[in-house]
Every structure is written in C-alpha cells, then in structure tokens.
Amino acid sequence: MIELDPEIAGGKPVIKGTRITVKLILELLANGWSIQDIKEEYDLTEEQIKAAIKYAEYLTEKVRVVRI
C-alpha cells in the first residue's frame, strides 16, 4: 500500500496511487488530526492511513545504534 517511486514526490514513500506522503500523514496525526479527519480531507481509507503508520513503525525497527 506504500510505494517509493523516484518519479513521485522525489522518491519519498507515498500512499500507492497518490502523491500523499507517509510524512504528511504522520505530521497530521502529530498535530492532532484524527484518522477520520485525514480520511475526509484527503479521500483516503483507514487502511491506507494505518499502512502509513505501520510503514513508519517498520522503519524505526530497522534503526540500530552504532558506537563510534
């Protein structure tokens, strides 16, 4: 449900078939928007919004601390 395409949004992760970035969805949620607000404003499904959240969660799992 998330795609990365260098031709769309500079290769940033977006909701497939849109130009709506995962970053935008996370910023909206962090600024107090509800999933319902985002669904209505951007014509997305709850499943698409949750996919963005899960993608961000997946990326944080990949972060490792390295001491230099």
Coordinates of all heavy atoms in Angstrom, one line a residue:
M1 N 0.8 -1.2 0.0 CA 0.0 0.0 0.0 C 0.9 1.3 0.0 O 0.4 2.3 -0.3 CB -0.9 0.0 1.2 CG -2.2 0.6 0.9 SD -3.5 0.4 2.1 CE -4.2 -1.0 1.5
I2 N 2.1 1.1 0.3 CA 3.1 2.2 0.3 C 4.0 2.0 -0.9 O 4.5 0.8 -1.1 CB 3.9 2.3 1.6 CG1 3.0 2.4 2.8 CG2 4.9 3.4 1.6 CD1 2.1 3.6 2.9
E3 N 4.3 3.0 -1.6 CA 5.3 2.8 -2.7 C 6.3 3.9 -2.7 O 6.1 5.0 -2.2 CB 4.5 2.8 -4.1 CG 3.9 4.1 -4.5 CD 3.2 4.0 -5.9 OE1 3.4 3.0 -6.6 OE2 2.4 4.9 -6.2
L4 N 7.5 3.6 -3.3 CA 8.6 4.6 -3.5 C 8.9 4.6 -4.9 O 9.2 3.5 -5.5 CB 9.8 4.1 -2.6 CG 9.6 4.2 -1.1 CD1 9.2 2.9 -0.6 CD2 10.9 4.7 -0.5
D5 N 8.7 5.7 -5.5 CA 9.0 5.8 -7.0 C 9.7 7.2 -7.2 O 9.2 8.2 -6.8 CB 7.6 5.8 -7.7 CG 7.8 6.0 -9.2 OD1 8.8 6.5 -9.7 OD2 6.9 5.5 -9.9
P6 N 10.9 7.1 -7.8 CA 11.7 8.4 -7.9 C 10.9 9.4 -8.7 O 11.2 10.6 -8.6 CB 12.9 7.9 -8.7 CG 12.8 6.5 -9.0 CD 11.6 6.0 -8.3
E7 N 9.9 9.0 -9.5 CA 9.1 10.0 -10.3 C 7.9 10.6 -9.5 O 7.3 11.5 -10.0 CB 8.5 9.3 -11.5 CG 9.6 8.7 -12.4 CD 10.4 9.7 -13.1 OE1 9.9 10.8 -13.5 OE2 11.7 9.5 -13.2
I8 N 7.7 10.1 -8.3 CA 6.6 10.6 -7.4 C 7.2 11.1 -6.1 O 7.8 10.4 -5.4 CB 5.6 9.5 -7.2 CG1 5.0 9.0 -8.5 CG2 4.4 10.0 -6.3 CD1 4.1 7.7 -8.4
A9 N 6.9 12.4 -5.8 CA 7.3 13.0 -4.6 C 8.8 12.8 -4.3 O 9.2 12.6 -3.1 CB 6.4 12.5 -3.4
G10 N 9.6 12.9 -5.3 CA 11.0 12.8 -5.2 C 11.5 11.4 -4.6 O 12.5 11.4 -4.0
G11 N 10.7 10.4 -4.7 CA 11.1 9.1 -4.2 C 10.7 8.8 -2.8 O 11.0 7.8 -2.2
K12 N 10.0 9.8 -2.2 CA 9.6 9.6 -0.8 C 8.4 8.6 -0.7 O 7.7 8.5 -1.7 CB 9.1 10.9 -0.2 CG 10.3 11.9 0.0 CD 9.7 13.2 0.5 CE 10.9 14.3 0.5 NZ 10.4 15.6 0.8
P13 N 8.3 7.9 0.4 CA 7.2 6.9 0.5 C 5.8 7.6 0.4 O 5.6 8.6 1.2 CB 7.4 6.2 1.8 CG 8.4 7.0 2.6 CD 9.1 7.9 1.6
V14 N 5.0 7.1 -0.4 CA 3.6 7.7 -0.6 C 2.6 6.6 -0.5 O 2.9 5.4 -0.7 CB 3.5 8.5 -1.9 CG1 4.4 9.6 -2.0 CG2 3.6 7.5 -3.1
I15 N 1.4 7.0 -0.3 CA 0.3 6.0 -0.4 C 0.1 5.7 -1.9 O 0.1 6.6 -2.7 CB -1.1 6.6 0.1 CG1 -1.0 7.1 1.6 CG2 -2.2 5.7 -0.1 CD1 -0.7 6.0 2.6
K16 N 0.1 4.4 -2.2 CA 0.1 3.9 -3.5 C -1.0 4.6 -4.3 O -2.2 4.6 -3.8 CB 0.0 2.4 -3.6 CG 0.2 1.8 -5.0 CD 0.3 0.3 -4.9 CE 0.7 -0.2 -6.3 NZ 1.0 -1.6 -6.2
G17 N -0.7 5.1 -5.5 CA -1.7 5.7 -6.4 C -2.0 7.1 -6.0 O -2.9 7.7 -6.6
T18 N -1.2 7.7 -5.1 CA -1.4 9.1 -4.7 C -0.1 9.8 -4.6 O 1.0 9.2 -4.8 CB -2.1 9.3 -3.3 OG1 -1.2 9.0 -2.3 CG2 -3.3 8.3 -3.2
R19 N -0.1 11.1 -4.3 CA 1.1 11.8 -4.0 C 1.1 12.2 -2.5 O 1.9 13.1 -2.1 CB 1.2 13.0 -4.9 CG 1.4 12.7 -6.4 CD 1.6 13.9 -7.2 NE 2.0 13.6 -8.6 CZ 3.3 13.4 -8.9 NH1 4.2 13.5 -8.0 NH2 3.6 13.1 -10.2
I20 N 0.4 11.5 -1.8 CA 0.3 11.8 -0.3 C 1.4 11.0 0.4 O 1.4 9.8 0.4 CB -1.1 11.4 0.2 CG1 -2.2 12.3 -0.5 CG2 -1.2 11.7 1.7 CD1 -3.6 11.8 -0.3
T21 N 2.3 11.7 1.0 CA 3.4 11.1 1.6 C 3.1 10.5 3.0 O 2.2 11.1 3.7 CB 4.6 12.1 1.8 OG1 4.2 13.2 2.6 CG2 5.1 12.6 0.4
V22 N 3.9 9.5 3.4 CA 3.8 9.0 4.7 C 4.1 10.1 5.7 O 3.4 10.2 6.8 CB 4.7 7.8 4.9 CG1 4.9 7.4 6.3 CG2 4.3 6.6 4.0
K23 N 5.1 10.9 5.4 CA 5.5 12.0 6.3 C 4.3 12.9 6.6 O 4.1 13.3 7.7 CB 6.6 12.8 5.7 CG 7.1 13.9 6.5 CD 8.2 14.7 5.9 CE 8.6 15.9 6.8 NZ 9.4 16.9 6.1
L24 N 3.5 13.3 5.5 CA 2.4 14.2 5.7 C 1.4 13.6 6.7 O 0.9 14.2 7.6 CB 1.7 14.5 4.4 CG 0.4 15.3 4.5 CD1 0.6 16.6 5.1 CD2 -0.3 15.4 3.2
I25 N 1.1 12.3 6.5 CA 0.1 11.6 7.4 C 0.6 11.6 8.8 O -0.1 12.0 9.7 CB -0.2 10.2 6.9 CG1 -0.9 10.3 5.6 CG2 -1.0 9.4 7.9 CD1 -1.1 8.9 4.9
L26 N 1.9 11.3 9.0 CA 2.4 11.3 10.4 C 2.4 12.8 11.0 O 2.1 12.9 12.2 CB 3.9 10.8 10.4 CG 4.0 9.3 10.0 CD1 5.5 8.9 9.9 CD2 3.2 8.4 10.9
E27 N 2.7 13.8 10.2 CA 2.7 15.1 10.7 C 1.3 15.5 11.1 O 1.1 16.2 12.1 CB 3.2 16.1 9.6 CG 4.7 16.0 9.4 CD 5.2 16.9 8.3 OE1 4.4 17.3 7.4 OE2 6.4 17.1 8.2
L28 N 0.3 15.2 10.3 CA -1.1 15.5 10.6 C -1.5 14.8 11.9 O -2.1 15.5 12.8 CB -2.0 15.1 9.5 CG -1.8 15.8 8.1 CD1 -2.7 15.2 7.0 CD2 -2.2 17.3 8.3
L29 N -1.2 13.6 12.1 CA -1.5 12.9 13.3 C -0.8 13.5 14.5 O -1.4 13.7 15.6 CB -1.1 11.4 13.2 CG -2.0 10.5 12.2 CD1 -1.3 9.2 12.0 CD2 -3.4 10.4 12.8
A30 N 0.4 13.9 14.3 CA 1.2 14.5 15.4 C 0.6 15.9 15.8 O 0.8 16.3 16.9 CB 2.7 14.7 15.0
N31 N -0.1 16.5 14.8 CA -0.7 17.8 15.1 C -2.1 17.7 15.5 O -2.9 18.7 15.4 CB -0.5 18.7 13.8 CG 0.9 19.2 13.7 OD1 1.4 19.9 14.6 ND2 1.6 18.9 12.7
G32 N -2.6 16.5 15.9 CA -3.9 16.4 16.5 C -5.0 16.0 15.5 O -6.2 15.9 15.9
W33 N -4.7 15.8 14.2 CA -5.7 15.3 13.3 C -6.1 13.9 13.7 O -5.2 13.1 14.0 CB -5.2 15.3 11.9 CG -5.1 16.7 11.3 CD1 -4.5 17.8 11.8 CD2 -5.5 17.1 10.0 NE1 -4.5 18.8 10.9 CE2 -5.2 18.4 9.8 CE3 -6.2 16.4 9.0 CZ2 -5.5 19.1 8.6 CZ3 -6.5 17.1 7.8 CH2 -6.1 18.5 7.6
S34 N -7.3 13.6 13.5 CA -7.8 12.2 13.7 C -7.7 11.4 12.4 O -7.6 12.1 11.3 CB -9.2 12.1 14.2 OG -10.1 12.6 13.2
I35 N -7.8 10.1 12.5 CA -7.8 9.3 11.2 C -9.0 9.7 10.4 O -8.9 9.9 9.2 CB -7.8 7.8 11.6 CG1 -6.4 7.4 12.1 CG2 -8.2 7.0 10.3 CD1 -6.3 6.0 12.5
Q36 N -10.1 10.0 11.1 CA -11.3 10.4 10.4 C -11.1 11.8 9.6 O -11.5 11.9 8.5 CB -12.5 10.5 11.3 CG -13.8 10.8 10.7 CD -14.3 9.7 9.7 OE1 -14.0 8.5 10.0 NE2 -14.9 10.1 8.7
D37 N -10.4 12.7 10.3 CA -10.1 14.0 9.7 C -9.3 13.8 8.4 O -9.6 14.4 7.3 CB -9.3 14.9 10.6 CG -10.1 15.3 11.8 OD1 -11.3 15.4 11.8 OD2 -9.4 15.6 12.8
I38 N -8.3 12.9 8.5 CA -7.4 12.7 7.3 C -8.2 12.0 6.2 O -8.1 12.4 5.0 CB -6.2 11.9 7.7 CG1 -5.4 12.7 8.8 CG2 -5.3 11.5 6.5 CD1 -4.3 11.9 9.5
K39 N -9.0 11.0 6.6 CA -9.8 10.3 5.6 C -10.7 11.3 4.8 O -10.8 11.2 3.6 CB -10.8 9.3 6.3 CG -10.1 8.1 6.7 CD -11.0 7.2 7.6 CE -12.4 6.9 6.9 NZ -13.2 6.0 7.7
E40 N -11.3 12.2 5.5 CA -12.2 13.2 4.8 C -11.5 14.2 4.0 O -11.9 14.5 2.9 CB -13.1 13.8 5.9 CG -14.1 12.9 6.5 CD -14.8 13.5 7.7 OE1 -14.7 14.7 8.0 OE2 -15.6 12.8 8.4
E41 N -10.4 14.7 4.5 CA -9.7 15.8 3.9 C -8.9 15.3 2.6 O -8.8 16.0 1.6 CB -8.7 16.5 4.8 CG -8.0 17.6 4.3 CD -8.8 18.9 4.0 OE1 -9.9 19.0 4.6 OE2 -8.4 19.7 3.1
Y42 N -8.4 14.1 2.7 CA -7.5 13.6 1.6 C -8.1 12.4 0.9 O -7.4 11.8 0.0 CB -6.1 13.2 2.2 CG -5.4 14.4 2.7 CD1 -5.4 14.9 4.0 CD2 -4.6 15.2 1.8 CE1 -4.8 16.0 4.4 CE2 -3.9 16.3 2.2 CZ -4.0 16.7 3.5 OH -3.4 17.9 3.9
D43 N -9.4 12.1 1.2 CA -10.0 11.0 0.5 C -9.3 9.7 0.5 O -9.0 9.0 -0.5 CB -10.3 11.4 -1.0 CG -11.4 10.5 -1.6 OD1 -12.2 9.9 -0.9 OD2 -11.3 10.3 -2.9
L44 N -8.8 9.3 1.7 CA -8.1 8.1 2.0 C -9.0 7.1 2.8 O -9.9 7.5 3.4 CB -6.8 8.4 2.7 CG -5.7 9.2 2.0 CD1 -4.6 9.5 3.0 CD2 -5.2 8.5 0.8
T45 N -8.6 5.9 2.8 CA -9.2 4.9 3.6 C -8.5 4.8 4.9 O -7.3 5.1 5.0 CB -9.3 3.5 3.0 OG1 -8.0 3.0 2.8 CG2 -10.0 3.6 1.6
E46 N -9.2 4.2 5.9 CA -8.5 4.0 7.2 C -7.3 3.0 7.0 O -6.3 3.1 7.6 CB -9.5 3.4 8.2 CG -8.9 3.3 9.6 CD -10.0 3.0 10.7 OE1 -11.1 3.4 10.5 OE2 -9.6 2.3 11.7
E47 N -7.5 2.0 6.1 CA -6.5 1.0 5.8 C -5.2 1.7 5.3 O -4.1 1.4 5.7 CB -7.0 0.0 4.9 CG -6.1 -1.1 4.6 CD -6.7 -2.1 3.6 OE1 -7.3 -1.7 2.6 OE2 -6.4 -3.3 3.8
Q48 N -5.4 2.7 4.4 CA -4.3 3.4 3.8 C -3.5 4.2 4.9 O -2.3 4.2 4.9 CB -4.7 4.4 2.7 CG -5.2 3.7 1.5 CD -5.8 4.6 0.5 OE1 -6.7 5.4 0.8 NE2 -5.4 4.6 -0.8
I49 N -4.2 4.9 5.8 CA -3.6 5.6 6.8 C -2.9 4.7 7.8 O -1.7 5.0 8.2 CB -4.7 6.5 7.6 CG1 -5.3 7.5 6.6 CG2 -4.1 7.2 8.8 CD1 -6.6 8.1 7.0
K50 N -3.5 3.6 8.2 CA -2.8 2.7 9.1 C -1.6 2.1 8.4 O -0.6 1.8 9.1 CB -3.8 1.6 9.5 CG -4.8 2.2 10.5 CD -5.7 1.1 11.0 CE -6.6 1.7 12.1 NZ -7.5 0.7 12.7
A51 N -1.6 1.9 7.1 CA -0.4 1.4 6.4 C 0.7 2.4 6.5 O 1.9 1.9 6.6 CB -0.8 1.1 4.9
A52 N 0.4 3.6 6.4 CA 1.5 4.7 6.6 C 2.1 4.6 8.0 O 3.3 4.7 8.1 CB 0.9 6.1 6.3
I53 N 1.2 4.4 9.0 CA 1.7 4.3 10.3 C 2.6 3.0 10.5 O 3.7 3.1 11.1 CB 0.5 4.3 11.3 CG1 -0.2 5.6 11.3 CG2 1.0 4.0 12.8 CD1 -1.6 5.6 11.9
K54 N 2.1 1.9 10.0 CA 2.9 0.7 10.1 C 4.2 0.8 9.3 O 5.2 0.2 9.7 CB 2.0 -0.5 9.5 CG 0.9 -0.8 10.5 CD 0.1 -2.0 10.0 CE -1.1 -2.2 10.9 NZ -1.9 -3.4 10.5
Y55 N 4.2 1.5 8.2 CA 5.5 1.7 7.4 C 6.5 2.4 8.3 O 7.6 2.0 8.4 CB 5.2 2.4 6.1 CG 6.4 2.6 5.3 CD1 7.0 1.6 4.6 CD2 7.1 3.8 5.3 CE1 8.1 1.7 3.8 CE2 8.2 4.0 4.5 CZ 8.8 3.0 3.8 OH 9.9 3.1 3.1
A56 N 6.0 3.5 8.9 CA 6.9 4.3 9.8 C 7.4 3.4 11.0 O 8.6 3.5 11.4 CB 6.2 5.5 10.3
E57 N 6.5 2.6 11.5 CA 6.9 1.7 12.6 C 8.0 0.7 12.1 O 9.0 0.4 12.8 CB 5.7 0.9 13.1 CG 6.0 -0.1 14.2 CD 4.7 -0.9 14.6 OE1 3.8 -1.0 13.8 OE2 4.8 -1.5 15.7
Y58 N 7.8 0.2 10.9 CA 8.7 -0.8 10.3 C 10.1 -0.1 10.2 O 11.1 -0.7 10.5 CB 8.2 -1.2 9.0 CG 9.3 -1.9 8.1 CD1 9.6 -3.2 8.4 CD2 9.9 -1.2 7.1 CE1 10.6 -3.9 7.6 CE2 10.9 -1.8 6.3 CZ 11.2 -3.1 6.6 OH 12.2 -3.8 5.8
L59 N 10.1 1.1 9.7 CA 11.4 1.8 9.6 C 12.1 2.1 10.9 O 13.3 2.0 11.0 CB 11.2 3.2 8.9 CG 10.8 3.1 7.4 CD1 10.6 4.6 6.9 CD2 11.8 2.4 6.6
T60 N 11.4 2.3 11.9 CA 12.0 2.6 13.2 C 12.6 1.3 13.8 O 13.6 1.3 14.6 CB 11.1 3.2 14.3 OG1 10.0 2.3 14.5 CG2 10.6 4.5 13.8
E61 N 12.0 0.1 13.4 CA 12.6 -1.2 13.8 C 13.9 -1.4 13.2 O 14.7 -2.2 13.7 CB 11.6 -2.3 13.4 CG 10.3 -2.2 14.0 CD 10.2 -3.0 15.3 OE1 10.9 -4.0 15.4 OE2 9.5 -2.6 16.2
K62 N 14.2 -0.8 12.1 CA 15.4 -1.0 11.3 C 16.6 -0.1 11.8 O 17.7 -0.3 11.4 CB 15.2 -0.7 9.8 CG 14.3 -1.7 9.2 CD 14.8 -3.1 9.2 CE 13.8 -4.1 8.6 NZ 14.3 -5.4 8.8
V63 N 16.3 0.8 12.7 CA 17.3 1.7 13.2 C 18.2 1.0 14.2 O 17.6 0.4 15.1 CB 16.7 3.0 13.8 CG1 17.7 3.9 14.5 CG2 15.9 3.8 12.8
R64 N 19.5 1.1 14.1 CA 20.4 0.5 15.1 C 21.4 1.6 15.6 O 21.8 2.4 14.8 CB 21.1 -0.6 14.4 CG 20.3 -1.8 13.9 CD 21.1 -3.0 13.7 NE 20.3 -4.0 12.9 CZ 19.5 -4.9 13.5 NH1 19.3 -4.8 14.8 NH2 18.9 -5.7 12.7
V65 N 21.7 1.5 16.8 CA 22.6 2.4 17.4 C 24.0 1.8 17.2 O 24.3 0.6 17.5 CB 22.4 2.6 18.9 CG1 23.4 3.5 19.5 CG2 21.0 3.2 19.1
V66 N 24.9 2.6 16.7 CA 26.3 2.2 16.5 C 27.2 3.2 17.2 O 27.1 4.4 17.0 CB 26.6 2.2 14.9 CG1 28.1 1.8 14.7 CG2 25.7 1.3 14.2
R67 N 28.1 2.6 18.1 CA 29.0 3.5 18.8 C 30.3 3.6 17.9 O 30.8 2.6 17.4 CB 29.4 2.9 20.1 CG 28.2 3.0 21.1 CD 28.6 2.6 22.4 NE 27.4 2.8 23.3 CZ 27.4 2.9 24.5 NH1 28.6 2.8 25.2 NH2 26.3 3.0 25.2
I68 N 30.8 4.8 17.9 CA 32.0 5.0 17.1 C 33.2 5.3 18.0 O 33.1 6.0 19.0 CB 31.8 6.2 16.1 CG1 30.6 5.9 15.2 CG2 33.1 6.5 15.4 CD1 30.3 6.9 14.2

